Amino acid sequence: MARTSFAETIRSGKPQIGAWMQIPHVIVAETLAQTNLDFLLVDGEHSPIPPNALLQILPATERYGMPVLYRVAWNRIELIKAALDHGANGIMVPMVNSGAEAVEAVASAKYPPTGKRGSGAWRASNYYQKDAEYRHDANSSLAVVLQIETREALKNLDDIASTPGVDALFIGPADLALSLGIEPGKLTPELLDACQAVANASKKYGIASGIDVASIEYMMRLQVLGLSLFTYGGDSGFVLDGGRAVAKDFHNAFLAK
Protein backbone atom coordinates (compact mmCIF):
# COMPACT_ATOMS: atom_id res chain seq x y z
CA MET A 1 0.00 0.00 0.00
CA ALA A 2 1.00 3.63 -0.42
CA ARG A 3 3.32 5.08 2.20
CA THR A 4 0.65 7.63 3.15
CA SER A 5 -2.77 6.08 2.83
CA PHE A 6 -5.87 7.83 1.60
CA ALA A 7 -7.39 7.64 5.08
CA GLU A 8 -4.31 9.23 6.64
CA THR A 9 -4.39 12.05 4.09
CA ILE A 10 -8.04 12.75 4.87
CA ARG A 11 -7.47 12.67 8.64
CA SER A 12 -4.56 15.11 8.31
CA GLY A 13 -6.96 17.91 7.48
CA LYS A 14 -4.97 18.86 4.39
CA PRO A 15 -7.43 20.34 1.86
CA GLN A 16 -8.50 17.74 -0.71
CA ILE A 17 -10.52 18.24 -3.87
CA GLY A 18 -12.37 15.46 -5.64
CA ALA A 19 -15.02 15.11 -8.32
CA TRP A 20 -18.00 12.84 -8.81
CA MET A 21 -18.08 9.95 -11.24
CA GLN A 22 -21.64 9.01 -12.15
CA ILE A 23 -21.30 7.82 -15.76
CA PRO A 24 -20.77 4.05 -15.53
CA HIS A 25 -17.99 3.59 -18.07
CA VAL A 26 -14.33 2.70 -17.79
CA ILE A 27 -13.31 5.37 -20.31
CA VAL A 28 -14.78 8.04 -18.04
CA ALA A 29 -12.85 6.63 -15.09
CA GLU A 30 -9.59 6.50 -17.02
CA THR A 31 -10.04 10.06 -18.25
CA LEU A 32 -10.94 11.49 -14.84
CA ALA A 33 -7.96 9.69 -13.31
CA GLN A 34 -5.70 12.00 -15.34
CA THR A 35 -7.17 15.28 -14.05
CA ASN A 36 -4.76 15.89 -11.15
CA LEU A 37 -7.66 15.84 -8.70
CA ASP A 38 -6.89 14.40 -5.27
CA PHE A 39 -9.53 11.67 -5.51
CA LEU A 40 -12.62 10.48 -7.36
CA LEU A 41 -15.93 9.97 -5.60
CA VAL A 42 -17.62 7.12 -7.47
CA ASP A 43 -21.33 7.28 -6.77
CA GLY A 44 -23.22 4.08 -6.12
CA GLU A 45 -26.19 5.81 -4.51
CA HIS A 46 -27.70 8.05 -7.17
CA SER A 47 -26.05 6.64 -10.28
CA PRO A 48 -25.98 3.18 -11.89
CA ILE A 49 -22.58 2.14 -10.54
CA PRO A 50 -23.02 -0.92 -8.28
CA PRO A 51 -20.01 -2.32 -6.42
CA ASN A 52 -19.28 -4.90 -9.13
CA ALA A 53 -18.72 -2.07 -11.63
CA LEU A 54 -15.55 -1.27 -9.67
CA LEU A 55 -14.00 -4.33 -11.30
CA GLN A 56 -13.65 -2.25 -14.49
CA ILE A 57 -13.27 1.19 -12.93
CA LEU A 58 -10.47 0.54 -10.43
CA PRO A 59 -7.83 -0.86 -12.83
CA ALA A 60 -8.26 2.32 -14.90
CA THR A 61 -7.90 4.70 -11.93
CA GLU A 62 -5.08 2.74 -10.31
CA ARG A 63 -3.05 3.07 -13.50
CA TYR A 64 -2.68 6.78 -12.70
CA GLY A 65 -2.58 6.48 -8.92
CA MET A 66 -6.00 8.08 -8.43
CA PRO A 67 -7.66 7.17 -5.10
CA VAL A 68 -11.32 6.15 -5.30
CA LEU A 69 -13.85 6.82 -2.56
CA TYR A 70 -16.96 4.77 -3.30
CA ARG A 71 -20.36 5.91 -2.06
CA VAL A 72 -22.53 2.91 -1.28
CA ALA A 73 -26.26 3.04 -1.91
CA TRP A 74 -27.08 2.48 1.76
CA ASN A 75 -25.51 1.57 5.09
CA ARG A 76 -25.41 -2.18 4.42
CA ILE A 77 -22.54 -4.56 5.08
CA GLU A 78 -22.85 -6.42 1.77
CA LEU A 79 -22.40 -3.17 -0.18
CA ILE A 80 -19.51 -1.92 1.96
CA LYS A 81 -17.51 -5.15 1.98
CA ALA A 82 -18.05 -5.67 -1.76
CA ALA A 83 -16.64 -2.22 -2.56
CA LEU A 84 -13.62 -2.75 -0.32
CA ASP A 85 -13.00 -6.31 -1.53
CA HIS A 86 -12.89 -4.95 -5.08
CA GLY A 87 -10.14 -2.55 -3.97
CA ALA A 88 -11.75 0.84 -3.27
CA ASN A 89 -9.59 3.15 -1.16
CA GLY A 90 -12.51 3.99 1.08
CA ILE A 91 -16.26 4.15 1.40
CA MET A 92 -18.75 6.94 1.89
CA VAL A 93 -21.98 6.00 3.66
CA PRO A 94 -25.04 8.21 3.08
CA MET A 95 -27.74 9.22 5.56
CA VAL A 96 -25.97 8.33 8.81
CA ASN A 97 -28.25 9.70 11.52
CA SER A 98 -27.05 8.26 14.83
CA GLY A 99 -24.12 6.89 16.73
CA ALA A 100 -25.51 3.38 16.32
CA GLU A 101 -25.63 3.77 12.55
CA ALA A 102 -22.06 5.11 12.57
CA VAL A 103 -20.90 2.09 14.58
CA GLU A 104 -22.61 -0.21 12.09
CA ALA A 105 -20.91 1.45 9.10
CA VAL A 106 -17.47 1.26 10.70
CA ALA A 107 -17.96 -2.35 11.75
CA SER A 108 -18.83 -3.30 8.18
CA ALA A 109 -15.62 -1.71 6.91
CA LYS A 110 -13.17 -3.02 9.52
CA TYR A 111 -11.72 -6.45 10.19
CA PRO A 112 -11.99 -8.01 13.68
CA PRO A 113 -11.46 -7.17 16.44
CA THR A 114 -12.43 -3.63 15.40
CA GLY A 115 -15.28 -4.68 13.14
CA LYS A 116 -16.98 -7.59 11.45
CA ARG A 117 -15.74 -7.45 7.88
CA GLY A 118 -15.22 -10.96 6.59
CA SER A 119 -11.89 -12.16 5.22
CA GLY A 120 -11.93 -12.49 1.43
CA ALA A 121 -10.58 -9.31 -0.16
CA TRP A 122 -10.06 -11.11 -3.43
CA ARG A 123 -8.99 -8.29 -5.76
CA ALA A 124 -7.88 -5.84 -3.04
CA SER A 125 -5.32 -8.40 -1.83
CA ASN A 126 -4.12 -9.11 -5.40
CA TYR A 127 -6.10 -12.34 -5.50
CA TYR A 128 -4.95 -13.41 -2.03
CA GLN A 129 -1.25 -13.14 -2.89
CA LYS A 130 -0.94 -10.36 -0.28
CA ASP A 131 -3.86 -11.27 1.92
CA ALA A 132 -2.09 -11.03 5.29
CA GLU A 133 -0.40 -7.76 4.35
CA TYR A 134 -3.69 -6.28 3.15
CA ARG A 135 -5.58 -7.27 6.30
CA HIS A 136 -2.77 -5.91 8.46
CA ASP A 137 -3.06 -2.44 6.92
CA ALA A 138 -6.72 -2.26 5.89
CA ASN A 139 -8.25 -1.01 9.14
CA SER A 140 -6.02 2.06 9.23
CA SER A 141 -5.52 2.73 5.51
CA LEU A 142 -9.07 2.52 4.12
CA ALA A 143 -11.17 5.64 4.61
CA VAL A 144 -14.59 5.63 6.26
CA VAL A 145 -16.55 8.79 5.48
CA LEU A 146 -20.06 9.27 6.87
CA GLN A 147 -22.59 11.66 5.40
CA ILE A 148 -24.49 14.16 7.51
CA GLU A 149 -27.70 14.89 5.61
CA THR A 150 -30.56 15.35 8.07
CA ARG A 151 -31.74 17.38 11.03
CA GLU A 152 -31.59 14.18 13.08
CA ALA A 153 -27.90 13.71 12.24
CA LEU A 154 -27.15 17.26 13.41
CA LYS A 155 -28.71 16.44 16.78
CA ASN A 156 -26.46 13.38 17.08
CA LEU A 157 -23.19 14.87 15.83
CA ASP A 158 -21.20 14.06 18.97
CA ASP A 159 -22.24 10.40 18.90
CA ILE A 160 -21.43 10.09 15.20
CA ALA A 161 -18.14 12.00 15.21
CA SER A 162 -16.83 10.21 18.30
CA THR A 163 -17.28 6.75 16.77
CA PRO A 164 -13.83 5.09 16.55
CA GLY A 165 -12.81 4.36 12.99
CA VAL A 166 -14.54 7.31 11.34
CA ASP A 167 -12.16 9.43 9.25
CA ALA A 168 -14.47 12.24 8.16
CA LEU A 169 -17.99 13.60 8.24
CA PHE A 170 -19.21 14.78 4.83
CA ILE A 171 -22.16 17.11 4.50
CA GLY A 172 -24.72 16.37 1.80
CA PRO A 173 -25.85 19.98 1.31
CA ALA A 174 -28.93 19.31 -0.82
CA ASP A 175 -30.47 16.68 1.44
CA LEU A 176 -29.49 18.59 4.57
CA ALA A 177 -31.10 21.73 3.20
CA LEU A 178 -34.30 19.83 2.41
CA SER A 179 -34.33 18.35 5.90
CA LEU A 180 -33.98 21.85 7.36
CA GLY A 181 -36.77 23.21 5.16
CA ILE A 182 -34.37 25.19 2.96
CA GLU A 183 -34.28 25.29 -0.82
CA PRO A 184 -31.02 23.58 -1.92
CA GLY A 185 -28.33 25.53 -3.72
CA LYS A 186 -27.66 28.48 -1.42
CA LEU A 187 -25.43 28.96 1.61
CA THR A 188 -28.11 30.31 3.91
CA PRO A 189 -27.24 31.31 7.50
CA GLU A 190 -28.97 28.17 8.82
CA LEU A 191 -27.02 25.91 6.47
CA LEU A 192 -23.76 27.66 7.34
CA ASP A 193 -24.52 27.15 11.03
CA ALA A 194 -25.04 23.45 10.34
CA CYS A 195 -21.73 23.28 8.46
CA GLN A 196 -19.98 24.97 11.36
CA ALA A 197 -21.49 22.45 13.78
CA VAL A 198 -20.22 19.55 11.68
CA ALA A 199 -16.76 21.11 11.43
CA ASN A 200 -16.65 21.73 15.17
CA ALA A 201 -17.71 18.20 16.07
CA SER A 202 -15.17 16.74 13.66
CA LYS A 203 -12.35 18.87 15.05
CA LYS A 204 -13.34 17.94 18.61
CA TYR A 205 -12.81 14.25 17.87
CA GLY A 206 -9.77 14.59 15.60
CA ILE A 207 -11.40 13.75 12.28
CA ALA A 208 -11.93 15.70 9.08
CA SER A 209 -15.06 17.29 7.69
CA GLY A 210 -16.15 18.05 4.16
CA ILE A 211 -18.92 18.98 1.76
CA ASP A 212 -19.93 19.02 -1.89
CA VAL A 213 -19.77 22.58 -3.23
CA ALA A 214 -21.35 24.38 -6.16
CA SER A 215 -18.51 26.84 -6.71
CA ILE A 216 -14.93 27.64 -5.76
CA GLU A 217 -16.27 30.69 -3.92
CA TYR A 218 -18.39 28.42 -1.71
CA MET A 219 -15.35 26.24 -1.09
CA MET A 220 -13.28 29.16 0.16
CA ARG A 221 -16.06 30.28 2.51
CA LEU A 222 -16.49 26.79 3.92
CA GLN A 223 -12.79 26.14 4.38
CA VAL A 224 -12.71 29.08 6.79
CA LEU A 225 -15.19 27.15 8.94
CA GLY A 226 -12.75 24.25 9.20
CA LEU A 227 -13.86 21.93 6.40
CA SER A 228 -11.12 20.32 4.32
CA LEU A 229 -12.60 17.51 2.19
CA PHE A 230 -14.37 18.87 -0.87
CA THR A 231 -16.02 17.69 -4.05
CA TYR A 232 -16.74 20.08 -6.88
CA GLY A 233 -18.31 19.03 -10.15
CA GLY A 234 -18.46 15.72 -11.92
CA ASP A 235 -18.25 13.88 -15.19
CA SER A 236 -21.55 14.91 -16.81
CA GLY A 237 -21.06 18.53 -15.78
CA PHE A 238 -17.53 18.56 -17.16
CA VAL A 239 -18.80 17.29 -20.53
CA LEU A 240 -21.63 19.83 -20.62
CA ASP A 241 -19.41 22.74 -19.56
CA GLY A 242 -16.73 21.86 -22.09
CA GLY A 243 -19.19 21.43 -24.94
CA ARG A 244 -21.06 24.61 -24.12
CA ALA A 245 -17.81 26.58 -23.91
CA VAL A 246 -16.80 25.42 -27.39
CA ALA A 247 -20.25 26.26 -28.78
CA LYS A 248 -20.19 29.70 -27.16
CA ASP A 249 -16.71 30.50 -28.52
CA PHE A 250 -17.71 29.31 -31.99
CA HIS A 251 -20.92 31.30 -32.14
CA ASN A 252 -19.33 34.42 -30.66
CA ALA A 253 -16.53 34.26 -33.23
CA PHE A 254 -18.96 34.07 -36.14
CA LEU A 255 -21.31 36.70 -34.73
CA ALA A 256 -18.37 39.05 -34.37
CA LYS A 257 -17.75 38.98 -38.15
Side-chain angles (χ1 to χ4, degrees):
M1 292 188 177
R3 183 169 298 175
T4 301
S5 72
F6 185 42
E8 289 171 329
T9 300
I10 290 175
R11 288 194 298 265
S12 73
K14 177 183 177 182
Q16 300 286 299
I17 179 65
W20 293 83
M21 177 179 169
Q22 296 183 306
I23 300 173
H25 202 288
V26 64
I27 292 175
V28 175
E30 191 168 32
T31 304
L32 288 173
Q34 299 175 69
T35 57
N36 295 322
L37 291 161
D38 294 310
F39 66 97
L40 294 183
L41 184 42
V42 177
D43 187 16
E45 183 187 15
H46 291 301
S47 66
I49 307 181
N52 62 8
L54 293 172
L55 181 59
Q56 287 77 43
I57 291 169
L58 290 172
T61 56
E62 290 164 355
R63 179 181 179 187
Y64 297 98
M66 176 65 76
V68 166
L69 185 64
Y70 179 76
R71 181 165 73 170
V72 295
W74 201 246
N75 189 1
R76 298 210 316 256
I77 188 169
E78 68 271 22
L79 299 175
I80 293 171
K81 71 177 181 180
L84 296 178
D85 287 353
H86 276 72
N89 301 96
I91 51 106
M92 177 180 282
V93 182
M95 294 287 181
V96 175
N97 294 318
S98 67
E101 291 179 7
V103 169
E104 187 66 21
V106 171
S108 298
K110 305 291 186 183
Y111 288 118
T114 304
K116 58 181 180 180
R117 181 183 173 191
S119 178
W122 63 290
R123 183 178 180 276
S125 65
N126 194 14
Y127 309 101
Y128 305 110
Q129 295 182 87
K130 296 185 177 180
D131 187 55
E133 179 183 347
Y134 175 81
R135 283 185 285 102
H136 179 269
D137 294 336
N139 281 4
S140 61
S141 67
L142 301 177
V144 175
V145 179
L146 307 183
Q147 284 202 268
I148 303 300
E149 303 184 271
T150 66
R151 188 185 296 272
E152 182 183 359
L154 291 177
K155 293 178 180 178
N156 295 316
L157 277 177
D158 271 285
D159 290 343
I160 297 170
S162 63
T163 301
V166 175
D167 298 296
L169 303 184
F170 192 86
I171 299 161
D175 281 319
L176 183 56
L178 289 173
S179 180
L180 295 173
I182 304 168
E183 183 63 26
K186 296 182 179 180
L187 289 180
T188 65
E190 189 174 4
L191 187 59
L192 283 170
D193 286 346
C195 292
Q196 185 67 78
V198 173
N200 290 346
S202 299
K203 182 179 180 180
K204 179 179 178 181
Y205 294 102
I207 62 175
S209 56
I211 191 171
D212 180 57
V213 296
S215 70
I216 295 296
E217 177 192 355
Y218 282 11
M219 190 183 305
M220 301 306 293
R221 290 177 66 185
L222 290 161
Q223 187 178 0
V224 172
L225 302 183
L227 284 77
S228 60
L229 184 68
F230 298 100
T231 54
Y232 174 45
D235 44 18
S236 58
F238 296 156
V239 172
L240 286 168
D241 289 346
R244 286 168 176 165
V246 170
K248 180 180 179 181
D249 290 345
F250 175 84
H251 293 127
N252 287 345
F254 275 83
L255 288 172
K257 287 188 175 181

